[in-house]
Amino acid sequence: MSGRFLLAGHSHVMALGVQNSAPDEPIAAFPIDITGGRVLGLAGPSPRSQAYWDAVVQQAEDTTVLLVWNGNQHLSKFLFATEKPFDFYVAGYPELAIYPVDLIPETQVRDYLARGNGGLKPLLNRLANVPGCEAIVLGTPPPKGNDALVRTFVSREMHFVQIARKMGVSVETIPFTDRLIRWKLWLVIQDLLKETAEAQGCRFLPVPETVMDSEGFLKEELWREDATHANLEYGRVFWDSTLSKVGAS
């Protein structure tokens, strides 16, 4: 295992101490303060470009690369209730409640959500060919369970406002997909990340249970004030648990 550690990935890296940079700023690695400088974070413009992922590979020699890949599909696609409510069984979680609505196969859910991981496998393959590089895929934050509070954030986010507008409804009144369904979708996303990582010979590290409330949702004190992301306190809790697991303590 390398003594150099680099965090890179999509928007959930912000909670772990990496801020997006302006489009005219160079893609560069900086020490992450909340890790005591033990981990570098690769900052770049959002949305991520191919140049960003190329920079990950260029920085990866003799480095443990910690990757955060997507993780918002359960909200960007399913925060608002579909016209026909649905539910599904999750393999490995037979105790989860099932609602009296249309049941769809878990394989259908997995196939749909897996589209968000399309670029992860090629990136892991590239990193596997870099001398001294170990890639580790990190889990992403669980969904937020307080729908009333989430709705106050949604009304400020143009992405969701535009979706509601296209549906001919207001974000103040549009029904949300039941929070248990959103949590199940998140479980599937984590499982897909784990499968992709392990299929390429990489480790997957799930988020620590200490970021979750008693029902498995993100603790409210760890919320960023938006519909999808965690805050820097989440990052502190995450790194407290994770630094030793990746060898950076």
Side-chain angles (χ1 to χ4, degrees), residues 27-93:
I27 298 167
F30 300 92
I32 298 175
D33 289 342
I34 58 175
T35 70
R38 297 182 187 92
V39 179
L40 301 174
L42 191 66
S46 180
R48 299 302 192 219
S49 64
Q50 185 57 49
Y52 180 86
W53 304 117
D54 290 344
V56 174
V57 177
Q58 292 161 9
Q59 293 260 353
E61 187 169 350
D62 295 326
T63 297
T64 299
V65 177
L66 310 172
L67 287 173
V68 177
W69 193 267
N70 279 336
N72 282 337
Q73 303 98 304
H74 57 294
L75 295 172
S76 61
K77 302 297 184 183
F78 296 106
L79 175 59
F80 297 148
T82 55
E83 186 175 340
K84 182 179 284 190
F86 70 93
D87 200 351
F88 61 100
Y89 288 98
V90 182
Y93 293 86

Side-chain angles (χ1 to χ4, degrees), residues 9 14 52 85 98 146 157 164 176 190 193 208 215 234-236 247:
M14 292 188 296
Y52 180 86
I98 295 292
N146 183 335
E157 296 188 45
F176 284 178
Q190 303 313 296
L193 289 171
E215 298 178 284
Y234 167 94
R236 293 185 181 93

